[in-house]
């Protein structure tokens, strides 16, 4: 059956599963205000509303990475 769906659909299913997991996972322990997904969406919303360049947004993410508690997951920003 998976063969009939095609490779792209299987990849999209993995992306959906990852988004679903991120929507249920706290941003960091003891953080009840944001999930991983909601935090990323808020950041992208701020980037768009304030017309930040990719470079300035990357600098912000690097700064936040330095000041926020460390976590086991690593996310990267790609334009």
């Amino acid at each position: 059956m998976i063969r009939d769906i095609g490779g792209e659909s299987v990849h999209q299913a993995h992306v959906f599963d990852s988004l679903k997991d991120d929507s249920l996972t706290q941003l960091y322990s003891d953080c009840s205000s944001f999930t991983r997904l909601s935090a990323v969406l808020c950041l992208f919303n701020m980037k768009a509303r304030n017309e930040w360049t990719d470079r300035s947004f990357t600098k912000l993410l690097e700064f936040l990475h330095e000041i926020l508690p460390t976590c086991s997951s690593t996310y990267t920003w790609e334009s």
Side-chain angles (χ1 to χ4, degrees):
M1 180 172 163
I2 292 196
R3 173 185 49 179
D4 298 332
I5 297 173
E8 183 61 31
S9 296
V10 172
H11 174 71
Q12 289 175 352
H14 291 294
V15 170
F16 176 77
D17 288 340
S18 177
L19 289 172
K20 181 181 171 220
D21 292 343
D22 286 346
S23 73
L24 301 172
T25 304
Q26 291 180 335
L27 183 59
Y28 55 89
S29 61
D30 300 328
C31 178
S32 60
S33 301
F34 291 97
T35 64
R36 288 181 184 175
L37 182 61
S38 67
V40 169
L41 292 176
C42 285
L43 285 168
F44 277 120
N45 190 20
M46 285 189 283
K47 179 187 184 302
R49 287 179 184 253
N50 294 294
E51 300 177 3
W52 294 343
T53 63
D54 288 347
R55 183 175 179 188
S56 66
F57 188 64
T58 298
K59 291 292 183 185
L60 172 67
L61 293 178
E62 289 169 353
F63 174 69
L64 291 174
H65 178 73
E66 289 179 25
I67 65 170
L68 290 175
T70 58
C71 64
S72 59
S73 299
T74 303
Y75 288 92
T76 58
W77 163 252
E78 297 176 12
S79 55

